[in-house]
Amino acid sequence: MKAESLKIGRVFSSGGEILYLLPEFQREYAWERENWDAFLQDLDRIYAIYDPNDPERTPEHFMGALVVVNDGLRGTIPVLKLVDGQQRLTTISLALCALADVLGSGHPDHKKIRKRLINEDEVGDTRYKLLPTRKNGDRDIYKAIIGGDGAPITAPTATRSRIDDAYQYLRDGFSKRLSEGMEAQRYFLVID
């Protein structure tokens, strides 16, 4: 077993290609408003002390361990099965997408953020850097949000995915913060 401390940018291969695949035995996305609130509050705390002009003093925040198992290649894309950390990694990727969407495609950081989420030269499932399970329609909704393929869809099951709710909550949170004068690039650097 190998343990190392990585920033989120490195987890998502600093814009390079990778795929984190959630095994079907994993539970569906289960975080709720209290979890999303705590996540945004953590970002706000780091944002408040982060000085982009002093990279030597970048605050660190421990998000917990990710447990992954090498699952070979899909074409040329390295695949890692995400055994532990799916709620956090899904939320972080939704936060990055929400921030990119609030900024819009004309913003200079939009493309950098999108590179954390998408394997640009790929199609199908390998296009995404993270694939949730299919439970509650999580994967389809996630792909619609991250892929920018139109409005998120509603899962055709009795229980609805919380992924769309998380995305909307995070998007609203970033929209509010940016309208209050907080800096988008600083948020990106805090998450990354």
Side-chain angles (χ1 to χ4, degrees):
M1 180 188 290
K2 178 181 173 186
E4 49 186 307
S5 178
L6 300 174
K7 296 182 102 189
I8 287 300
R10 274 267 326 275
V11 169
F12 287 119
S13 291
S14 297
E17 296 179 332
I18 197 161
L19 170 59
Y20 292 95
L21 181 63
L22 275 74
E24 289 305 316
F25 65 80
Q26 288 285 11
R27 67 182 172 145
E28 69 280 354
Y29 182 75
W31 273 21
E32 298 178 345
R33 184 182 176 133
E34 68 186 47
N35 305 105
W36 309 324
D37 236 1
F39 175 77
L40 285 175
Q41 288 171 14
D42 284 347
L43 291 180
D44 289 342
R45 282 196 263 317
I46 297 167
Y47 179 96
I49 61 174
Y50 177 66
D51 181 358
N53 298 317
D54 187 2
E56 297 288 322
R57 297 184 44 155
T58 302
E60 292 186 16
H61 179 70
F62 183 67
M63 290 291 295
L66 298 177
V67 178
V68 296
V69 176
N70 188 334
D71 197 39
L73 297 171
R74 302 289 188 284
T76 60
I77 306 293
V79 177
L80 299 171
K81 283 196 178 178
L82 183 60
V83 178
D84 188 30
Q86 65 145 329
Q87 304 294 318
R88 287 168 280 141
L89 204 55
T90 302
T91 303
I92 290 167
S93 64
L94 290 170
L96 286 168
C97 184
L99 182 59
D101 290 350
V102 167
L103 295 177
S105 61
H107 191 278
D109 288 325
H110 184 270
K111 188 171 183 167
K112 289 182 213 171
I113 296 170
R114 296 293 303 162
K115 283 183 175 187
R116 300 291 191 262
L117 304 170
I118 298 287
N119 295 315
E120 292 179 320
D121 296 329
E122 298 297 317
V123 294
D125 284 350
T126 56
R127 181 172 182 229
Y128 304 90
K129 296 204 180 210
L130 173 73
L131 278 179
T133 68
R134 291 183 177 89
K135 294 175 183 167
N136 288 350
D138 282 359
R139 184 175 292 179
D140 290 338
I141 291 171
Y142 181 86
K143 286 169 60 175
I145 292 168
I146 300 297
D149 300 329
I153 57 171
T154 301
T157 58
T159 11
R160 199 167 87 73
S161 174
R162 290 190 177 134
I163 285 180
D164 186 38
D165 296 333
Y167 167 77
Q168 294 299 332
Y169 188 83
L170 295 165
R171 184 182 167 116
D172 291 348
F174 285 126
S175 186
K176 178 179 182 263
R177 285 161 173 78
L178 297 181
S179 73
E180 293 171 349
M182 292 180 156
E183 300 169 34
Q185 182 182 35
R186 196 163 158 188
Y187 260 110
F188 172 51
L189 293 171
V190 163
I191 297 170
D192 199 46

